[in-house]
Amino acid sequence: MRIRLLTIIVLLAGLLAGCGYNTFQSGDEAVKSAWSEVLNQYQRRADLVPNLVATVQGYASHEKEVLTQVTQARAQVGSIQPTPELVNDPAAFARFQQAQAGLSSALSRLLVVVERYPQLKADAAFRDLQAQLEGTENRIAVARNRYIKAVEAYNVSVRSFPNNLTAMIFGYGVKPNFSVDAERERAITAPPTVDFSAPAAAGKAAPAAAN
């Protein structure tokens, strides 16, 4: 009886391994690890925002609209609980991505404002914060890329035959991934346009244009 039981267990283990069960386990752990790094870098950025806003406010207190937008975007990011289950909920994942994109956009507008204040740009504290922000943005890009690849590998294993049969039995589904629509991609990745031309220069250019 024991020999039969052991034989059945060995056969079941072989079937599970051959049908992708073990692949799902390793893939799921890879996604969790990559997601943890994404959250770590996003949190690093969020932690920089209060000091960044305070420093800019010291030189440009009347830029209330932009400063308020950054603060509100930071609050929106903080209102979303980045639980491990978030990577299995497409709707929650989309809200998380939208909040992070909103903060990216607000920070871009803030840096455009900074260009108007040479004294602020020369401030050592601001330069340090800006360097940290730039480094964090690079780390976010790397972490997102690793997460995208981990999710792609996992989703392929879940959808492939005969792994998909095992996935249905054990309830393994595809995970949401980062995606950017065309309009949002332009808003996030396009470099800010800064126009330093004086109004007087624009006025002189008008007659030439008329000719």
Side-chain angles (χ1 to χ4, degrees):
M1 187 66 182
R2 290 181 178 177
I3 295 176
R4 288 183 179 178
L5 182 60
L6 289 172
T7 301
I8 292 173
I9 292 174
V10 170
L11 289 174
L12 286 174
L15 288 172
L16 290 175
C19 292
Y21 183 82
N22 289 342
T23 301
F24 299 156
Q25 302 307 306
S26 60
D28 189 56
E29 289 302 318
V31 170
K32 289 178 181 177
S33 176
W35 178 241
S36 295
E37 184 59 20
V38 169
L39 294 180
N40 181 46
Q41 298 307 328
Y42 272 132
Q43 185 61 51
R44 180 187 178 95
R45 181 176 70 169
D47 290 342
L48 289 172
V49 170
N51 287 338
L52 186 63
V53 169
T55 303
V56 173
Q57 192 171 25
Y59 288 87
S61 58
H62 58 283
E63 300 284 357
K64 292 182 179 179
E65 182 179 355
V66 175
L67 292 170
T68 299
Q69 288 173 350
V70 174
T71 302
Q72 290 176 341
R74 166 64 169 82
Q76 181 64 28
V77 166
S79 69
I80 299 176
Q81 295 297 324
T83 62
E85 291 75 19
L86 191 147
V87 297
N88 298 316
D89 185 341
F93 189 89
R95 289 193 296 271
F96 174 86
Q97 184 180 5
Q98 184 177 12
Q100 295 295 345
L103 181 55
S104 295
S105 180
L107 286 171
S108 295
R109 291 192 294 273
L110 180 66
L111 294 179
V112 170
V113 167
V114 167
E115 295 296 330
R116 306 172 192 165
Y117 301 91
Q119 289 182 329
L120 171 58
K121 293 171 63 179
D123 182 88
F126 174 77
R127 290 202 308 269
D128 180 62
L129 286 169
Q130 188 175 31
Q132 291 185 57
L133 181 61
E134 290 172 353
T136 300
E137 292 292 353
N138 290 335
R139 293 187 182 95
I140 288 173
V142 171
R144 279 170 55 110
N145 187 51
R146 289 175 178 169
Y147 177 81
I148 288 169
K149 290 181 178 178
V151 171
E152 285 178 349
Y154 172 84
N155 286 346
V156 167
S157 68
V158 167
R159 289 171 171 168
S160 300
F161 181 84
N163 291 5
N164 60 338
L165 300 179
T166 306
M168 284 191 293
I169 293 173
F170 289 94
Y172 287 97
V174 297
K175 297 181 184 294
N177 211 339
F178 286 108
S179 61
V180 183
D181 57 47
E183 183 177 355
R184 187 177 298 169
E185 183 175 14
R186 287 194 296 271
I188 296 173
T189 62
T193 300
V194 182
D195 185 6
F196 293 103
S197 60
K204 291 178 180 179
N211 291 337

